[in-house]
Amino acid sequence: MTSTPTSTPTRPGGAAPAGVSEGTGRIGESPSRPDGTLKVTGEFAYASDLWMDDMIWGVTLRSPHPHARIRSVSIGAALAVPGVYAVLTSDDVPGHNAFGLEFDDQPVLARDVVRYQGEPVAIVAADHPEVARQAAKQIVVDYEVLPAVTDGRDAMQPLAPKVHERGNLLRHLKIRKGEGRFEAPVVVRLDFEVGMQDQAFLGPESGLAVPAEDGGVDLFVATQWLHVDQRQICLALALPPEKVRLTLSGVGGAFGGREDLSIHVHACLLALHTGKPVKMVYNREESFFGHVHRHPADMRYEFGADQDGRLRYAKADIVFDGGAYASSTTAVVGNGGTMGLGPYNIPDVQVDCYGVYTNNPPCGAMRGFGCVQTAFAHEALMDELADRLGLDRVAIRQLNGMREGDQNITGQVIDSAAPVAELLQVVRDLPMPAERSPDDELDLRSMPGGVSNTTHGEGVRRGVGYAVTYKNVGFSEGFDDYSTARVRIQVTAGEPIVTVHTAAAEVGQGLVTIQQQIARTELGVDRVVVQTSDTQVGSAGSTSASRQTYVTGGAVKAACEAVRHRVLELAERLTGQPAQGLSLVGGKVVAASGEVLVPLVDLLGEQAVEDTVEWRHRPTSTLDPETGQGDAHVQFAFSAHRAVVDVDVELGLVKVVALDTAQDVGRALNPQAVIGQIQGGSAQGMGLALMEEVLVQDGQVRNPSFTDYLIPTILDMPPMQIRVLEYADPHAPYGVRGVGEPPTISSGPAVAAAIRAATGRPLRRVPVRPEHITGT
């Protein structure tokens, strides 16, 4: 038996809870999003808007050091501050003082050692957020600063300081394919570095924990994975799942950064300790310390080819800096390693991919998940190979590109469309942006440097770059990847209404709309309500890996089919016509002839039909530990980009003039949403190529603000020509293919390639900075 909270949090402005909505539109259409108007008018309720009249506020005290021993923590002065309700340290964690997605290696509150700048040491609850912040400053922590290791390759050395007692190596993935023949007439090599990117979601970490009468707690939180959050919170609080209930609140973007815990356990600890609802909201600076980032990568690549450009072999040595705690580093290594040579046929392969601990900020999931970093390296090397051989850069990719039926580097057969050559041809054939004529009226916004008036065209060179990449969809390497959906149909106020309930997190991608579209398509009913996601229904897995439309969409489809089967059985008993010849259309039961047999209102009466389905995609397998061979992934998604840039080679400033793309999406269930995902993903990839980097020096973050951490704005984004290919995957619901991550992977390398083409410089690091271009 579960208990409801003593009271329910309110949302300002009378806005509906995130995830509850109605509308029209079926599969293949682009209905209005139920949250769209609320968001553009500022009425949508995000987690930071949650409110209860008697709530208090929680804040976190964080370590200023990347590595230090905690000698003592003194909280007396903080407790003496008027308005303070509680000050908690590691001694107050009732359960397991550790959490983590794959390894429980991260303390809820640091006890003996801090391993990165920003690690939580204590938490404070007070009647006002400013009182809590001032009280936290009164906590005295005596630190003994320890040597820190802040470089991924250095961390692998035998004498490097150990971040954890187990050592600094989290995972080494070895992939060996072919006969081991690593010789070729033409050999090209490069080293490439990718900096640390932040997800830069606009809504900071936030939530509200409410103590319940049964001794448990209700947490309303912005997250990506409710049930894994619940598991970790239960271990820390020493409470069973039925006493830790999570409800999704409005999420202001995620991109992987909400897959790990942030305020979750801290807010619950304070709520249970004080007996009062506790709200926690990070400011922007704290947000940079409060979530994982994209892994920096150091990569060494070598390709060998024949004189005609056909690849003979490839070698790659890849190091992902996981920071102080594991998060999802081992899975990132799996993705980065298995996908790390691109969508190409390569007979002989040697890949060594490492994930390591350092005393840098923890790194974990971010859109593209390991494939983004390696794409910069393999696409730069393909360009170098083409130039060495005097071949066209697009043609050499088409020559080596995968096709359906080919094997990737782990020996897995690509058993659905792999249109590498076609995608490249599509983007190549798109119209190019017009060259600027000296007679054209000058618009400074079209120049590198924009309205800062740094150039009127002098010193500006144009470059064009291409990239083609692929990404696995869903969880891999034998993970039990499933989702649960509960669907109910009943008559309310004289019309049939379908209710869909899952634990899938709507983080802005449009999942609520997709669930409605599926229900309308399968059950022939216009009015569909998607309940707020929570842990009162089975797990839906994480909103990551481009998987929710595939997996939760599959679960909703299967649950709707089960409900439809039972409804048509009722119709068979009423009409005497076999259920297999009946269908649901427009709220009515219709015979194969098109004859309307009975309205659902009359058929159902006062009864409801409900079913819950746990749905899985086909299984994947683990990789052989010595060769890395195996069918690790369930699906692959392919994309290509062409970037056109203008570069002021004297000042090192870049203007992206066009960023055109083609992507195979399987089937576009919501065409407008597909376009939106491609645009947004392309912006993030372009951002990494040009400007986005969390600057970490000796373990210290130097730019934890949107003043100094730059992200593309509407003035930076160029026009995009987008072409969507729809080669349905026969193994997926509706033939769908994951959409969200591929554009982030191929866009950045295309931009980097275009800058290289304009400048003639090799540019072996991203983001590309002005000094890289000018050589100063």
Side-chain angles (χ1 to χ4, degrees):
M1 178 178 175
T2 60
S3 171
T4 56
T6 53
S7 57
T8 303
T10 60
R11 300 163 171 86
V20 179
S21 51
E22 300 176 17
T24 59
R26 287 166 170 73
I27 290 302
E29 301 174 1
S30 298
S32 297
R33 286 180 50 155
D35 56 346
T37 299
L38 294 172
K39 286 180 174 177
V40 299
T41 58
E43 297 175 89
F44 184 82
Y46 292 98
S48 54
D49 296 317
L50 293 167
W51 191 272
M52 294 186 76
D53 288 340
D54 59 342
M55 73 182 190
I56 55 178
W57 297 80
V59 301
T60 309
L61 177 71
R62 299 178 180 273
S63 165
H65 306 294
H67 198 199
R69 193 179 316 282
I70 299 175
R71 291 190 178 118
S72 64
V73 181
S74 177
I75 64 173
L79 282 169
V81 174
V84 168
Y85 281 79
V87 180
L88 305 182
T89 67
S90 61
D91 292 336
D92 299 298
V93 178
H96 187 43
N97 186 30
F99 67 92
L101 283 175
E102 299 182 28
F103 302 97
D104 294 340
D105 64 349
Q106 185 165 357
V108 173
L109 293 168
R111 181 181 297 274
D112 301 314
V113 176
V114 292
R115 295 181 174 89
Y116 72 98
Q117 180 202 18
E119 180 156 3
V121 176
I123 49 178
V124 179
D127 58 6
H128 190 279
E130 188 56 35
V131 172
R133 281 190 285 268
Q134 293 305 317
K137 294 178 181 178
Q138 300 301 312
I139 300 172
V140 178
V141 183
D142 183 14
Y143 292 104
E144 175 192 349
V145 177
L146 301 174
V149 57
T150 58
D151 178 85
R153 289 201 180 271
D154 290 347
M156 297 170 64
Q157 300 304 311
L159 298 181
K162 286 187 177 181
V163 181
H164 294 268
E165 285 303 313
R166 58 176 285 186
N168 293 339
L169 181 62
L170 263 166
R171 184 182 184 185
H172 173 202
L173 172 62
K174 295 194 300 183
I175 301 176
R176 305 290 186 267
K177 182 188 176 188
E179 303 299 322
R181 297 173 182 169
F182 298 109
E183 295 179 348
V186 181
V187 176
V188 290
R189 302 177 180 89
L190 62 69
D191 295 349
F192 207 103
E193 293 183 10
V194 176
M196 182 186 293
Q197 187 180 20
D198 186 63
Q199 295 85 352
F201 42 73
L202 298 185
E205 293 83 350
S206 50
L208 178 65
V210 184
E213 294 176 351
D214 65 352
V217 63
D218 292 271
L219 178 63
F220 301 83
V221 67
T223 182
Q224 290 179 239
W225 198 346
L226 287 163
H227 282 80
V228 161
D229 290 355
Q230 182 190 45
R231 173 185 64 79
Q232 296 171 88
I233 297 168
C234 287
L235 289 173
L237 299 182
L239 289 174
E242 59 269 19
K243 289 194 175 183
V244 178
R245 297 165 291 271
L246 274 67
T247 300
L248 184 70
S249 291
V251 182
F255 314 113
R258 298 187 200 269
E259 205 168 50
D260 297 77
L261 299 186
S262 57
I263 60 95
H264 304 58
V265 181
H266 298 162
C268 290
L269 281 171
L270 291 169
L272 291 172
H273 190 86
T274 63
K276 297 181 75 64
V278 173
K279 180 175 179 176
M280 297 188 75
V281 182
Y282 292 169
N283 62 25
R284 182 58 57 189
E285 179 177 345
E286 187 172 16
S287 180
F288 272 91
F289 295 103
H291 65 258
V292 298
H293 310 285
R294 189 188 299 285
H295 293 74
D298 183 287
M299 300 169 285
R300 298 168 180 171
Y301 272 61
E302 179 180 314
F303 283 178
D306 292 327
Q307 291 290 350
D308 66 355
R310 195 174 300 275
L311 290 169
R312 281 195 180 183
Y313 77 85
K315 292 182 177 181
D317 181 275
I318 304 160
V319 177
F320 288 114
D321 180 349
Y325 296 104
S327 181
S328 54
T329 292
T330 56
V332 169
V333 168
N335 273 18
T338 60
M339 317 292 291
L341 298 180
Y344 303 115
N345 289 304
I346 309 173
D348 286 271
V349 169
Q350 177 181 305
V351 173
D352 290 280
C353 190
Y354 304 89
V356 297
Y357 286 121
T358 68
N359 292 114
N360 291 325
C363 292
M366 185 174 173
R367 192 179 200 164
F369 205 76
C371 300
V372 168
Q373 296 93 319
T374 57
F376 279 99
H378 66 66
E379 289 304 275
L381 200 52
M382 287 299 286
D383 282 348
E384 185 164 326
L385 179 61
D387 294 348
R388 178 79 63 85
L389 291 167
L391 298 176
D392 179 82
R393 291 180 173 185
V394 170
I396 198 171
R397 289 173 166 85
Q398 292 175 318
L399 174 68
N400 291 285
M402 289 177 178
R403 295 171 175 81
E404 185 172 355
D406 288 341
Q407 289 186 358
N408 68 5
I409 64 173
T410 71
Q412 182 170 354
V413 174
I414 310 298
D415 60 1
S416 63
V420 174
E422 182 180 359
L423 290 166
L424 285 162
Q425 197 62 46
V426 168
V427 294
R428 162 169 267 185
D429 291 344
L430 291 170
M432 289 285 287
E435 294 276 359
R436 182 178 173 273
S437 167
D439 297 328
D440 293 341
E441 182 179 350
L442 178 66
D443 183 348
L444 287 175
R445 293 172 299 176
S446 69
M447 290 284 106
V451 294
S452 57
N453 200 22
T454 56
T455 181
H456 288 192
E458 61 276 10
V460 175
R461 305 287 183 268
R462 177 157 290 188
V464 180
Y466 292 87
V468 62
T469 58
Y470 79 140
K471 171 68 171 64
N472 62 306
V473 173
F475 295 152
S476 302
E477 297 190 62
F479 189 93
D480 184 17
D481 194 6
Y482 69 92
S483 183
T484 312
R486 181 178 300 144
V487 173
R488 178 184 179 94
I489 187 170
Q490 65 188 92
V491 176
T492 301
E495 64 177 312
I497 294 179
V498 173
T499 303
V500 178
H501 190 190
T502 75
E506 167 67 77
V507 299
Q509 80 277 39
L511 182 62
V512 166
T513 311
I514 286 292
Q515 292 180 75
Q516 290 180 307
Q517 290 179 256
I518 292 171
R520 294 190 192 102
T521 300
E522 299 299 330
L523 294 174
V525 172
D526 286 336
R527 296 200 61 188
V528 178
V529 176
V530 177
Q531 289 189 329
T532 300
S533 297
D534 57 31
T535 53
Q536 303 306 302
V537 66
S539 177
S542 174
T543 294
S544 60
S546 304
R547 64 178 288 280
Q548 284 292 15
T549 296
Y550 188 137
V551 184
T552 292
V556 172
K557 181 176 185 288
C560 286
E561 289 168 344
V563 168
R564 185 179 65 215
H565 177 73
R566 291 173 57 187
V567 169
L568 294 180
E569 283 184 335
L570 291 175
E572 179 179 4
R573 289 198 289 270
L574 179 67
T575 66
Q577 297 204 29
Q580 58 266 32
L582 306 179
S583 59
L584 300 179
V585 180
K588 303 175 180 65
V589 178
V590 178
S593 64
E595 178 189 0
V596 174
L597 300 180
V598 59
L600 282 175
V601 171
D602 296 335
L603 177 65
L604 294 175
E606 296 184 359
Q607 67 180 314
V609 178
E610 179 180 292
D611 217 317
T612 301
V613 172
E614 191 174 87
W615 188 89
R616 288 170 169 79
H617 59 62
R618 54 190 176 142
T620 58
S621 66
T622 57
L623 296 170
D624 182 277
E626 296 302 319
T627 66
Q629 298 298 289
D631 294 348
H633 306 301
V634 68
Q635 189 187 63
F636 302 95
F638 295 79
S639 64
H641 273 80
R642 181 187 68 192
V644 182
V645 303
D646 284 343
V647 183
D648 185 333
V649 295
E650 297 170 355
L651 296 179
L653 302 178
V654 178
K655 173 69 176 180
V656 181
V657 178
L659 189 57
D660 303 320
T661 184
Q663 183 171 327
D664 175 24
V665 305
R667 184 182 177 192
L669 303 193
N670 184 313
Q672 190 175 49
V674 165
I675 296 299
Q677 285 292 307
I678 292 173
Q679 290 171 331
S682 298
Q684 274 187 313
M686 188 189 83
L688 177 56
L690 290 177
M691 62 187 76
E692 293 190 47
E693 183 176 9
V694 179
L695 295 172
V696 183
Q697 183 178 1
D698 298 326
Q700 300 274 350
V701 176
R702 297 303 187 190
N703 60 332
S705 73
F706 281 169
T707 299
D708 299 308
Y709 181 92
L710 304 179
I711 57 176
T713 70
I714 194 170
L715 293 178
D716 298 299
M717 277 303 294
M720 291 187 67
Q721 300 176 85
I722 299 173
R723 297 295 181 265
V724 172
L725 277 60
E726 296 189 73
Y727 292 120
D729 182 347
H731 312 287
Y734 302 115
V736 72
R737 201 179 297 276
V739 172
E741 292 174 289
T744 305
I745 302 167
S746 53
S747 55
V751 172
I755 301 172
R756 288 194 296 269
T759 63
R761 291 189 172 273
L763 301 177
R764 300 305 188 216
R765 190 186 192 280
V766 292
V768 177
R769 301 196 178 281
E771 59 267 28
H772 301 156
I773 295 170
T774 62
T776 57

